[in-house]
Amino acid sequence: MNLNQGAVSSLTVTDETAETFDHEEMLGRVASTLRRADLAVLAAKEPPLRKVGVSGSLYAVLANLEVTPGLTGAELARVVGVTPQAITPLVVKLVERGLIERRTHPRHANIQELQLTDSGRRETARADRIMLHLDNHIRDSLGDEDYQRLRVLLDVVVKSMPSWVPPPDESS
Amino acid sequence: MNLNQGAVSSLTVTDETAETFDHEEMLGRVASTLRRADLAVLAAKEPPLRKVGVSGSLYAVLANLEVTPGLTGAELARVVGVTPQAITPLVVKLVERGLIERRTHPRHANIQELQLTDSGRRETARADRIMLHLDNHIRDSLGDEDYQRLRVLLDVVVKSMPSWVPPPDESS
DNA sequence: TGTGCCGTATCAAAGTCTTGATACTCTCGT
DNA sequence: ACGAGAGTATCAAGACTTTGATACGGCACA
């Protein structure tokens, strides 16, 4: 688990000096709430995933290979959101377990396409049953309509991030 | 950055064997989308935060101490979502920089209350200006109404996670 | 007034991810 | 056909976090 923000507390701040902003609002911002939500989901799904033998990272790799067979390590890294170097150990581990196969690309002697084995497909299905169950729980909590809405809103956030430019640091 | 799921790809899957589920849906589930959104925000905010001298982790600590002065290390750990052991190095670093102070609890010789120094408050304000700017960008992308809605929906997700019980693993 | 229990703090070791640097292969333009 | 450039894979080192284990201090109940 990675910390990075995420906060919640039911404390009523007394007051502060002049240059202080709205503390109540601070931790209620979307960026904070988003992080908390992700942490909560993360903490919930990790234990059951490990019970079927995969860490969250490994599941991410397997799930993406299930959807998009033939991905290379670098492609996988981008899709999953990490550096290419971080993928290698995961791939090695999965190959050792016989869940995925490395196959050299037909036209590129250098790069390797990755693919699930039959055994890997079975394991992935087991893990995905858990994830599906979790998602259904969320859907039940929100209701169908809000569930869909949440997906859409989150997608907007994802797409809007690249166009953000940080403010200049005016520490005058 | 921590990977753990997060996936997106615009590939139309040909087809598959029998026991296969809906791939298109798989990566569109809220748990996945949520993770992607968080990763996107994380990737966007990290560089500018480092530019003012704090990592995302350090900012999380500072922000929470700003809102709730006098937190102990363990409390901080819970609020922020990490283990108590992970807090210690962060606290040490911030103390060395003079941004926070450790003060032994009045009644517990063992535990230490943490508090921002004046200098720490200034630094936190600089970092928070960035976060506020980011959140405003998100608000602009969504519109005021959907921005508020997203906050509410995410809160529901956070509150609903603890009540989830993983499905039994029926690998029959 | 003990004694058991809970919460806090910290040391140590292991795991995972990142940044930095290097080598290799194909593609493209001249 | 050749050299530059882009993309991929991997080694090495450092940073950060987690799990495991240990020690200390207050609190509640017998």
Side-chain angles (χ1 to χ4, degrees), chain A residues 72-95:
Chain A
T72 70
E75 288 171 334
L76 206 42
R78 275 192 299 275
V79 177
V80 147
V82 294
T83 60
Q85 294 91 328
I87 289 292
T88 306
L90 299 177
V91 168
V92 168
K93 199 172 298 183
L94 290 174
V95 168

PDB file of all heavy atoms in Angstrom, chain A residues 72-95:
ATOM      1  N   THR A  72       3.503  -6.592 -25.089  1.00  0.00           N
ATOM      2  CA  THR A  72       4.910  -6.683 -24.719  1.00  0.00           C
ATOM      3  C   THR A  72       5.066  -6.120 -23.310  1.00  0.00           C
ATOM      4  O   THR A  72       4.157  -5.497 -22.775  1.00  0.00           O
ATOM      5  CB  THR A  72       5.785  -5.860 -25.674  1.00  0.00           C
ATOM      6  OG1 THR A  72       5.532  -4.471 -25.437  1.00  0.00           O
ATOM      7  CG2 THR A  72       5.478  -6.201 -27.103  1.00  0.00           C
ATOM      8  N   GLY A  73       6.221  -6.345 -22.745  1.00  0.00           N
ATOM      9  CA  GLY A  73       6.451  -5.863 -21.384  1.00  0.00           C
ATOM     10  C   GLY A  73       6.281  -4.360 -21.263  1.00  0.00           C
ATOM     11  O   GLY A  73       5.642  -3.876 -20.328  1.00  0.00           O
ATOM     12  N   ALA A  74       6.804  -3.649 -22.209  1.00  0.00           N
ATOM     13  CA  ALA A  74       6.739  -2.188 -22.148  1.00  0.00           C
ATOM     14  C   ALA A  74       5.305  -1.700 -22.296  1.00  0.00           C
ATOM     15  O   ALA A  74       4.875  -0.785 -21.592  1.00  0.00           O
ATOM     16  CB  ALA A  74       7.617  -1.583 -23.231  1.00  0.00           C
ATOM     17  N   GLU A  75       4.588  -2.301 -23.220  1.00  0.00           N
ATOM     18  CA  GLU A  75       3.183  -1.921 -23.386  1.00  0.00           C
ATOM     19  C   GLU A  75       2.431  -2.169 -22.088  1.00  0.00           C
ATOM     20  O   GLU A  75       1.652  -1.343 -21.612  1.00  0.00           O
ATOM     21  CB  GLU A  75       2.550  -2.735 -24.513  1.00  0.00           C
ATOM     22  CG  GLU A  75       3.016  -2.338 -25.899  1.00  0.00           C
ATOM     23  CD  GLU A  75       2.528  -3.304 -26.964  1.00  0.00           C
ATOM     24  OE1 GLU A  75       2.278  -4.491 -26.629  1.00  0.00           O
ATOM     25  OE2 GLU A  75       2.400  -2.894 -28.124  1.00  0.00           O
ATOM     26  N   LEU A  76       2.673  -3.323 -21.527  1.00  0.00           N
ATOM     27  CA  LEU A  76       2.046  -3.707 -20.277  1.00  0.00           C
ATOM     28  C   LEU A  76       2.321  -2.664 -19.191  1.00  0.00           C
ATOM     29  O   LEU A  76       1.444  -2.261 -18.440  1.00  0.00           O
ATOM     30  CB  LEU A  76       2.585  -5.070 -19.863  1.00  0.00           C
ATOM     31  CG  LEU A  76       1.752  -5.981 -18.973  1.00  0.00           C
ATOM     32  CD1 LEU A  76       0.298  -5.980 -19.375  1.00  0.00           C
ATOM     33  CD2 LEU A  76       2.325  -7.377 -19.031  1.00  0.00           C
ATOM     34  N   ALA A  77       3.561  -2.229 -19.152  1.00  0.00           N
ATOM     35  CA  ALA A  77       3.962  -1.250 -18.145  1.00  0.00           C
ATOM     36  C   ALA A  77       3.145   0.028 -18.290  1.00  0.00           C
ATOM     37  O   ALA A  77       2.654   0.570 -17.312  1.00  0.00           O
ATOM     38  CB  ALA A  77       5.449  -0.943 -18.279  1.00  0.00           C
ATOM     39  N   ARG A  78       2.987   0.472 -19.521  1.00  0.00           N
ATOM     40  CA  ARG A  78       2.238   1.713 -19.730  1.00  0.00           C
ATOM     41  C   ARG A  78       0.790   1.547 -19.327  1.00  0.00           C
ATOM     42  O   ARG A  78       0.210   2.385 -18.629  1.00  0.00           O
ATOM     43  CB  ARG A  78       2.326   2.123 -21.202  1.00  0.00           C
ATOM     44  CG  ARG A  78       3.565   2.922 -21.525  1.00  0.00           C
ATOM     45  CD  ARG A  78       3.442   3.534 -22.915  1.00  0.00           C
ATOM     46  NE  ARG A  78       3.306   2.500 -23.941  1.00  0.00           N
ATOM     47  CZ  ARG A  78       4.326   1.874 -24.506  1.00  0.00           C
ATOM     48  NH1 ARG A  78       5.542   2.169 -24.146  1.00  0.00           N
ATOM     49  NH2 ARG A  78       4.126   0.956 -25.436  1.00  0.00           N
ATOM     50  N   VAL A  79       0.193   0.456 -19.777  1.00  0.00           N
ATOM     51  CA  VAL A  79      -1.217   0.232 -19.500  1.00  0.00           C
ATOM     52  C   VAL A  79      -1.478   0.144 -18.007  1.00  0.00           C
ATOM     53  O   VAL A  79      -2.484   0.619 -17.496  1.00  0.00           O
ATOM     54  CB  VAL A  79      -1.678  -1.070 -20.186  1.00  0.00           C
ATOM     55  CG1 VAL A  79      -3.120  -1.354 -19.837  1.00  0.00           C
ATOM     56  CG2 VAL A  79      -1.493  -0.975 -21.676  1.00  0.00           C
ATOM     57  N   VAL A  80      -0.551  -0.468 -17.321  1.00  0.00           N
ATOM     58  CA  VAL A  80      -0.731  -0.738 -15.904  1.00  0.00           C
ATOM     59  C   VAL A  80      -0.282   0.458 -15.059  1.00  0.00           C
ATOM     60  O   VAL A  80      -0.670   0.590 -13.911  1.00  0.00           O
ATOM     61  CB  VAL A  80       0.051  -2.016 -15.534  1.00  0.00           C
ATOM     62  CG1 VAL A  80       0.595  -1.961 -14.145  1.00  0.00           C
ATOM     63  CG2 VAL A  80      -0.845  -3.231 -15.714  1.00  0.00           C
ATOM     64  N   GLY A  81       0.512   1.319 -15.651  1.00  0.00           N
ATOM     65  CA  GLY A  81       0.881   2.540 -14.957  1.00  0.00           C
ATOM     66  C   GLY A  81       2.176   2.474 -14.168  1.00  0.00           C
ATOM     67  O   GLY A  81       2.325   3.172 -13.172  1.00  0.00           O
ATOM     68  N   VAL A  82       3.101   1.655 -14.595  1.00  0.00           N
ATOM     69  CA  VAL A  82       4.393   1.611 -13.915  1.00  0.00           C
ATOM     70  C   VAL A  82       5.515   1.677 -14.943  1.00  0.00           C
ATOM     71  O   VAL A  82       5.272   1.718 -16.140  1.00  0.00           O
ATOM     72  CB  VAL A  82       4.566   0.319 -13.096  1.00  0.00           C
ATOM     73  CG1 VAL A  82       3.582   0.265 -11.955  1.00  0.00           C
ATOM     74  CG2 VAL A  82       4.436  -0.883 -13.999  1.00  0.00           C
ATOM     75  N   THR A  83       6.731   1.675 -14.435  1.00  0.00           N
ATOM     76  CA  THR A  83       7.883   1.709 -15.326  1.00  0.00           C
ATOM     77  C   THR A  83       8.131   0.314 -15.899  1.00  0.00           C
ATOM     78  O   THR A  83       7.771  -0.678 -15.280  1.00  0.00           O
ATOM     79  CB  THR A  83       9.132   2.150 -14.562  1.00  0.00           C
ATOM     80  OG1 THR A  83       9.375   1.218 -13.515  1.00  0.00           O
ATOM     81  CG2 THR A  83       8.957   3.531 -13.987  1.00  0.00           C
ATOM     82  N   PRO A  84       8.750   0.262 -17.048  1.00  0.00           N
ATOM     83  CA  PRO A  84       9.041  -1.033 -17.671  1.00  0.00           C
ATOM     84  C   PRO A  84       9.904  -1.924 -16.781  1.00  0.00           C
ATOM     85  O   PRO A  84       9.754  -3.145 -16.788  1.00  0.00           O
ATOM     86  CB  PRO A  84       9.804  -0.644 -18.942  1.00  0.00           C
ATOM     87  CG  PRO A  84       9.406   0.746 -19.222  1.00  0.00           C
ATOM     88  CD  PRO A  84       9.137   1.394 -17.905  1.00  0.00           C
ATOM     89  N   GLN A  85      10.774  -1.317 -16.018  1.00  0.00           N
ATOM     90  CA  GLN A  85      11.649  -2.101 -15.146  1.00  0.00           C
ATOM     91  C   GLN A  85      10.872  -2.863 -14.097  1.00  0.00           C
ATOM     92  O   GLN A  85      11.281  -3.936 -13.649  1.00  0.00           O
ATOM     93  CB  GLN A  85      12.665  -1.211 -14.443  1.00  0.00           C
ATOM     94  CG  GLN A  85      13.663  -0.558 -15.340  1.00  0.00           C
ATOM     95  CD  GLN A  85      13.193   0.793 -15.805  1.00  0.00           C
ATOM     96  OE1 GLN A  85      12.008   1.003 -15.965  1.00  0.00           O
ATOM     97  NE2 GLN A  85      14.113   1.710 -16.038  1.00  0.00           N
ATOM     98  N   ALA A  86       9.755  -2.300 -13.700  1.00  0.00           N
ATOM     99  CA  ALA A  86       8.972  -2.944 -12.648  1.00  0.00           C
ATOM    100  C   ALA A  86       8.213  -4.151 -13.167  1.00  0.00           C
ATOM    101  O   ALA A  86       7.808  -5.027 -12.404  1.00  0.00           O
ATOM    102  CB  ALA A  86       8.000  -1.942 -12.035  1.00  0.00           C
ATOM    103  N   ILE A  87       8.042  -4.189 -14.468  1.00  0.00           N
ATOM    104  CA  ILE A  87       7.288  -5.296 -15.056  1.00  0.00           C
ATOM    105  C   ILE A  87       8.111  -6.588 -15.077  1.00  0.00           C
ATOM    106  O   ILE A  87       7.603  -7.670 -14.794  1.00  0.00           O
ATOM    107  CB  ILE A  87       6.866  -4.948 -16.501  1.00  0.00           C
ATOM    108  CG1 ILE A  87       5.775  -3.877 -16.479  1.00  0.00           C
ATOM    109  CG2 ILE A  87       6.374  -6.169 -17.226  1.00  0.00           C
ATOM    110  CD1 ILE A  87       4.461  -4.354 -15.912  1.00  0.00           C
ATOM    111  N   THR A  88       9.378  -6.461 -15.379  1.00  0.00           N
ATOM    112  CA  THR A  88      10.221  -7.647 -15.555  1.00  0.00           C
ATOM    113  C   THR A  88      10.112  -8.656 -14.407  1.00  0.00           C
ATOM    114  O   THR A  88       9.860  -9.837 -14.666  1.00  0.00           O
ATOM    115  CB  THR A  88      11.688  -7.225 -15.750  1.00  0.00           C
ATOM    116  OG1 THR A  88      11.760  -6.290 -16.822  1.00  0.00           O
ATOM    117  CG2 THR A  88      12.556  -8.424 -16.061  1.00  0.00           C
ATOM    118  N   PRO A  89      10.279  -8.222 -13.167  1.00  0.00           N
ATOM    119  CA  PRO A  89      10.184  -9.200 -12.077  1.00  0.00           C
ATOM    120  C   PRO A  89       8.830  -9.897 -12.025  1.00  0.00           C
ATOM    121  O   PRO A  89       8.759 -11.081 -11.710  1.00  0.00           O
ATOM    122  CB  PRO A  89      10.393  -8.355 -10.814  1.00  0.00           C
ATOM    123  CG  PRO A  89      11.028  -7.107 -11.278  1.00  0.00           C
ATOM    124  CD  PRO A  89      10.587  -6.876 -12.668  1.00  0.00           C
ATOM    125  N   LEU A  90       7.791  -9.146 -12.339  1.00  0.00           N
ATOM    126  CA  LEU A  90       6.459  -9.733 -12.310  1.00  0.00           C
ATOM    127  C   LEU A  90       6.323 -10.805 -13.385  1.00  0.00           C
ATOM    128  O   LEU A  90       5.803 -11.895 -13.133  1.00  0.00           O
ATOM    129  CB  LEU A  90       5.394  -8.650 -12.528  1.00  0.00           C
ATOM    130  CG  LEU A  90       5.347  -7.536 -11.477  1.00  0.00           C
ATOM    131  CD1 LEU A  90       4.314  -6.496 -11.848  1.00  0.00           C
ATOM    132  CD2 LEU A  90       5.044  -8.120 -10.108  1.00  0.00           C
ATOM    133  N   VAL A  91       6.789 -10.458 -14.565  1.00  0.00           N
ATOM    134  CA  VAL A  91       6.721 -11.401 -15.672  1.00  0.00           C
ATOM    135  C   VAL A  91       7.507 -12.668 -15.340  1.00  0.00           C
ATOM    136  O   VAL A  91       7.035 -13.783 -15.541  1.00  0.00           O
ATOM    137  CB  VAL A  91       7.269 -10.763 -16.960  1.00  0.00           C
ATOM    138  CG1 VAL A  91       7.484 -11.822 -18.033  1.00  0.00           C
ATOM    139  CG2 VAL A  91       6.321  -9.692 -17.460  1.00  0.00           C
ATOM    140  N   VAL A  92       8.693 -12.473 -14.807  1.00  0.00           N
ATOM    141  CA  VAL A  92       9.521 -13.627 -14.445  1.00  0.00           C
ATOM    142  C   VAL A  92       8.774 -14.545 -13.481  1.00  0.00           C
ATOM    143  O   VAL A  92       8.737 -15.770 -13.648  1.00  0.00           O
ATOM    144  CB  VAL A  92      10.840 -13.151 -13.795  1.00  0.00           C
ATOM    145  CG1 VAL A  92      11.579 -14.322 -13.161  1.00  0.00           C
ATOM    146  CG2 VAL A  92      11.705 -12.457 -14.831  1.00  0.00           C
ATOM    147  N   LYS A  93       8.165 -13.926 -12.486  1.00  0.00           N
ATOM    148  CA  LYS A  93       7.453 -14.705 -11.483  1.00  0.00           C
ATOM    149  C   LYS A  93       6.300 -15.491 -12.102  1.00  0.00           C
ATOM    150  O   LYS A  93       6.104 -16.678 -11.813  1.00  0.00           O
ATOM    151  CB  LYS A  93       6.924 -13.764 -10.399  1.00  0.00           C
ATOM    152  CG  LYS A  93       6.585 -14.466  -9.102  1.00  0.00           C
ATOM    153  CD  LYS A  93       6.264 -13.466  -8.012  1.00  0.00           C
ATOM    154  CE  LYS A  93       7.465 -12.570  -7.693  1.00  0.00           C
ATOM    155  NZ  LYS A  93       7.204 -11.627  -6.586  1.00  0.00           N
ATOM    156  N   LEU A  94       5.585 -14.839 -12.981  1.00  0.00           N
ATOM    157  CA  LEU A  94       4.433 -15.493 -13.595  1.00  0.00           C
ATOM    158  C   LEU A  94       4.858 -16.601 -14.544  1.00  0.00           C
ATOM    159  O   LEU A  94       4.186 -17.633 -14.656  1.00  0.00           O
ATOM    160  CB  LEU A  94       3.571 -14.461 -14.327  1.00  0.00           C
ATOM    161  CG  LEU A  94       2.819 -13.483 -13.416  1.00  0.00           C
ATOM    162  CD1 LEU A  94       2.115 -12.406 -14.221  1.00  0.00           C
ATOM    163  CD2 LEU A  94       1.815 -14.241 -12.552  1.00  0.00           C
ATOM    164  N   VAL A  95       5.977 -16.387 -15.228  1.00  0.00           N
ATOM    165  CA  VAL A  95       6.480 -17.426 -16.127  1.00  0.00           C
ATOM    166  C   VAL A  95       6.908 -18.649 -15.323  1.00  0.00           C
ATOM    167  O   VAL A  95       6.603 -19.783 -15.670  1.00  0.00           O
ATOM    168  CB  VAL A  95       7.670 -16.904 -16.958  1.00  0.00           C
ATOM    169  CG1 VAL A  95       8.371 -18.051 -17.672  1.00  0.00           C
ATOM    170  CG2 VAL A  95       7.194 -15.869 -17.961  1.00  0.00           C
TER     171      VAL A  95
END
